[in-house]
Amino acid sequence: MSAAKTVGGQAVIEGVMMRAKDNLAIAVRRPDGEITVELRPWFSMTPEFMKKPFLRGFPIFMETMVNGVKALNYSATQALDEEEDGELTSFHLILTMVIALGAALGLFVVLPHFFSVAMKWWGVSGDVDSLSFHIWDGFFKMVMFLGYIVSISLIPDIKRVFQYHGAEHKVIWAYETGGDLEACRIKNFSRLHPRCGTAFLLFVLVVSILLFTVLVPMVVAIWAPESFVLKHLYIVGIKLLLMAPVSAVAYEMIKASGKYENSPVCKVMCLPGLGMQYLTTREPDEQQIEVALAALNKAVAAGSSDADGGHC
């Protein structure tokens, strides 16, 4: 797979956002059945010196969040037939991101830590510098992640988003492998993709478990408050700070999995992420694939004209 043929995407409300180089396109199926497509420049907040391996992960993650939230908001205005001036202001965008990040860190970093503290109180775990504590911490991270995915998948509107997620993957596979860009043929491609954001989140969890298991005992050995409460608040703060390098490492892993997808090692690395996508994607219908294809064509056509779709 050549770098020039690599695109990325995201499912939105009744549609798909596709990115090709410095452009993104958001295609949404409106209530009247029409597909509307919006072309925008990719908002970048990553300075040139931060685009190096193991530096780029966290800032790219942040700018992906910004573009993703803006795409979701736009799709909501189109799918619900609202005025476009109802989109988020800069203030509301920042507030939304802060709330989303806070909720994610609280759910997958803070709560698992204090659940593991409870295991120590019950006598089935050692202190924070022991391996058993971090085994419990990793266990609770995975349980909460799986529980979250399963819970939201039961919501009818999220099921629709997961179908568009599957359509996004199928269209990307067809484009990157040089297949026919026709909805009736694209549906035969897999709805699973190794560069999916679900796989990235799973890599983040795995890397955080391994990194915390090694680094937290080292930090505690150097210095930690005497007070039990302050000690654990201090450690949670260290974990939150470490999420930046954790996301950087996870990003390089997801990049490697796409670049060396035929490598036996990468295939093994991708298996858990691909397995998770059975939960976060659903088989789309041809109309949903048409929406994803419209987004792809618009994004790619902004820089080239080699992605024109056809009809069966």
Side-chain angles (χ1 to χ4, degrees), residues 2 4-5 7 20-21 175 178-179 181 296-297 299-309:
S2 66
K5 290 278 283 182
V7 295
K21 297 182 180 179
Y175 174 66
L181 296 183
L296 175 79
N297 284 337
V300 173
S304 64
S305 59
D306 63 351
D308 295 328

Side-chain angles (χ1 to χ4, degrees), residues 20-80:
K21 297 182 180 179
D22 296 325
N23 300 291
L24 67 86
I26 312 161
V28 181
R29 179 81 68 178
R30 291 176 56 85
D32 61 6
E34 178 190 354
I35 299 175
T36 181
V37 187
E38 171 96 348
L39 180 67
R40 299 181 177 184
W42 178 264
F43 171 75
S44 178
M45 54 190 294
T46 307
E48 197 63 37
F49 76 93
M50 290 289 288
K51 294 182 179 180
K52 306 297 182 183
F54 296 101
L55 291 178
R56 58 191 175 180
F58 185 70
I60 287 178
F61 169 70
M62 294 300 295
E63 71 181 36
T64 301
M65 275 197 66
V66 172
N67 286 286
V69 170
K70 291 171 74 174
L72 276 168
N73 183 240
Y74 171 80
S75 69
T77 65
Q78 296 300 310
L80 300 177

Side-chain angles (χ1 to χ4, degrees), residues 79-95:
L80 300 177
D81 201 19
E82 296 178 347
E83 296 295 327
E84 288 189 31
D85 58 10
E87 290 195 51
L88 294 174
T89 63
S90 296
F91 170 77
H92 289 104
L93 176 64
I94 293 171
L95 183 61

